[in-house]
Amino acid sequence: MKLELEPKLIFWITAVLASGFGLAFIFFPQFLYELIGFLSDEDGYLMVRFFGFAVFGVGVLTFWARNAELSKTREAIILMLTTNYTLMTVTHLLVMFIRGPPLLANVWLWLIVVLHLTFIGFYGYFLIRDWKAVRVIKSG
């Protein structure tokens, strides 16, 4: 019996985590923003709330895509998630190294970076594994 890793499980995990983080950024922006080592004013917290809506949207998208069969649409969603997590990881690391010790020592921020790197690995695996099979699919 061969056990094959499918995107459904990773989509579920992404949906739960993204929805949770999104709602936390929307309803508790100051707490979450300070937890990862940043301080701001009310305008900054408004920006964090808007970011929370985007993150929540990713959670909804991955929840809806969880049962998607092999298709160009599923590949596009996986490519978007891979790109999204890559850009967020690069941004987190740049800000951490520019700001120095306060952020470099923040465990929560490092956990987020590790989580993003894990998602990049899984979604990158699905992109590479399914590349040829998706190219064979006829459009329209």
Side-chain angles (χ1 to χ4, degrees):
M1 183 173 144
K2 185 178 178 186
L3 187 61
E4 186 76 24
L5 180 63
E6 290 300 318
K8 182 177 183 169
L9 175 64
I10 308 303
F11 277 155
W12 266 106
I13 293 169
T14 303
V16 169
L17 289 175
S19 298
F21 273 105
L23 290 173
F25 277 123
I26 292 168
F27 293 111
F28 309 107
Q30 183 176 358
F31 171 75
L32 207 59
Y33 206 52
E34 289 175 0
L35 183 70
I36 59 175
F38 295 98
L39 300 174
S40 187
D41 56 7
E42 287 303 313
D43 292 336
Y45 298 134
L46 181 63
M47 176 195 68
V48 172
R49 278 196 173 100
F50 286 137
F51 175 72
F53 281 106
V55 173
F56 184 73
V58 169
V60 171
L61 175 69
T62 54
F63 178 77
W64 283 340
R66 72 193 184 284
N67 291 323
E69 296 295 324
L70 182 69
S71 66
K72 291 183 180 185
T73 303
R74 186 178 86 177
E75 182 187 48
I77 292 169
I78 290 173
L79 181 61
M80 180 272 303
L81 290 166
T82 306
T83 305
N84 189 18
Y85 287 121
T86 301
L87 291 175
M88 284 193 293
T89 300
V90 168
T91 303
H92 284 313
L93 291 174
L94 279 174
V95 169
M96 288 166 71
F97 286 110
I98 289 171
R99 295 275 306 272
L103 290 183
L104 284 172
N106 189 302
V107 174
W108 294 106
L109 199 51
W110 278 109
L111 288 174
I112 291 171
V113 169
V114 168
L115 178 69
H116 289 175
L117 289 172
T118 304
F119 281 142
I120 292 168
F122 280 118
Y123 287 125
Y125 166 75
F126 297 134
L127 277 177
I128 293 167
R129 182 194 71 183
D130 298 337
W131 183 261
K132 287 184 181 178
V134 170
R135 299 287 145 311
V136 172
I137 298 173
K138 302 271 189 223
S139 24

